[in-house]
Amino acid sequence: KQEVTQIPAALSVPEGENLVLNCSFTDSAIYNLQWFRQDPGKGLTSLLLIQSSQREQTSGRLNASLDKSSGRSTLYIAASQPGDSATYLCAVGGATNKLIFGTGTLLAVQP
Amino acid sequence: KAGVTQTPRYLIKTRGQQVTLSCSPISGHRSVSWYQQTPGQGLQFLFEYFSETQRNKGNFPGRFSGRQFSNSRSEMNVSTLELGDSALYLCASSLDLVPLGGEQFFGPGTRLTVL
C-alpha cells in the first residue's frame, strides 16, 4: 500500500530564505508526482507535475526533483516571500489509479 | 480557459438530510475526481468518473455516490448525513484517467457543515 509522508509538518522561515520541502513515498512504482499548494479554506493549486521518467521540473522560483529509486521528491523554493505562505502537498499517482496525498507541510514566511 | 468550478461553495445541513454537490471541469477534461478533506484524515479519494462511468472508488460507505453527465459535469450525493461528513469536498479534473491524464486541476471546494 502506497504511503506518502511529508517532513517537516510545519516550517517557519524569514523572507528571502531558500527552502526545501520533502516528500517520501513507500512504493517506487509510480507514474507521476504532483506538488500543490493550498491556502486556508481554499482548493488546491497545482504547482508542478513530474512524470516518472523525469528527474526535475522548474517553474519560476520553484524546482521539484524526483528520485524514484529512493522514494523521494523535494520542492525547492528560492527567495521565499510572505505570499508563499500556505500548505504544500505532494501527491503520487501510481498503480491504484488515484492520487495518494501526503499530509502536507505548513509553510510560514515571516516578513 | 475557465478553471474547475464547484457549487455551492458553502452548505449547512442537519443530520439525516441528503446533499448534492456539483462540479464543472475544465473544458476538454474528461475525468472528474472527488476528494474529501478533513483536519483529521487529510485528503481522501472518493471516486473518479470518466465518460459517464465510475472508474475508481475510494473506501467510503454507499451513502456517497456520484454521477457524470455527457458534458463531463459531475455531481456527488451524500445521503443520510452524519456529523462526520462535515468536510471540504474538492473536485478535480484532468484530460484523461488518473494518473495517465497528467496534471489534476482542483476547484475551490464546497464546505459542508452538518449540524
Side-chain angles (χ1 to χ4, degrees), chain A residues 32 34 38 43 46 96-97 99, chain B residues 37 56 99-100 103-104 106-107:
Chain A
N32 54 32
Q34 197 167 351
Q38 184 175 31
S46 176
T96 58
N97 297 326
L99 289 187
Chain B
Q37 187 177 32
N56 202 356
L100 303 177
E103 203 168 0
Q104 276 209 314
F106 280 75

Side-chain angles (χ1 to χ4, degrees), chain B residues 95-114:
Chain B
L95 284 169
D96 207 329
L97 284 164
V98 176
L100 303 177
E103 203 168 0
Q104 276 209 314
F105 295 89
F106 280 75
T110 295
R111 170 72 62 186
L112 172 64
T113 302
V114 182

Side-chain angles (χ1 to χ4, degrees), chain A residues 32-110:
Chain A
N32 54 32
L33 185 146
Q34 197 167 351
W35 282 93
F36 299 89
R37 69 171 279 168
Q38 184 175 31
D39 294 288
K42 303 289 180 62
L44 278 64
T45 300
S46 176
L47 298 173
L48 290 163
L49 171 73
I50 311 178
Q51 301 291 354
S52 61
S53 58
Q54 298 174 316
R55 292 300 299 261
E56 64 179 294
Q57 281 283 3
T58 298
S59 176
R61 295 183 294 108
L62 305 179
N63 176 277
S65 67
L66 175 64
D67 184 343
K68 273 181 50 178
S69 60
S70 66
R72 288 185 179 181
S73 176
T74 61
L75 180 67
Y76 175 83
I77 303 177
S80 58
Q81 304 170 357
D84 295 330
S85 299
T87 296
Y88 289 80
L89 295 149
C90 68
V92 171
T96 58
N97 297 326
K98 59 187 177 186
L99 289 187
I100 307 295
F101 281 85
T103 48
T105 294
L106 177 61
L107 173 65
V109 181
Q110 308 298 331

Side-chain angles (χ1 to χ4, degrees), chain B residues 48-56 68 97:
Chain B
E48 179 185 15
Y49 284 86
F50 182 87
S51 293
E52 303 178 63
T53 302
Q54 187 182 92
R55 299 303 184 108
N56 202 356
Q68 186 181 35
L97 284 164

Side-chain angles (χ1 to χ4, degrees), chain B residues 36-47:
Chain B
Q36 181 195 67
Q37 187 177 32
T38 58
Q41 299 296 319
L43 264 160
Q44 292 188 290
F45 171 78
L46 280 157
F47 27 65

Side-chain angles (χ1 to χ4, degrees), chain B residues 15-29:
Chain B
R15 279 179 296 175
Q17 286 187 309
Q18 75 165 23
V19 66
T20 299
L21 313 181
S22 180
C23 172
S24 293
I26 291 172
S27 178
H29 284 197

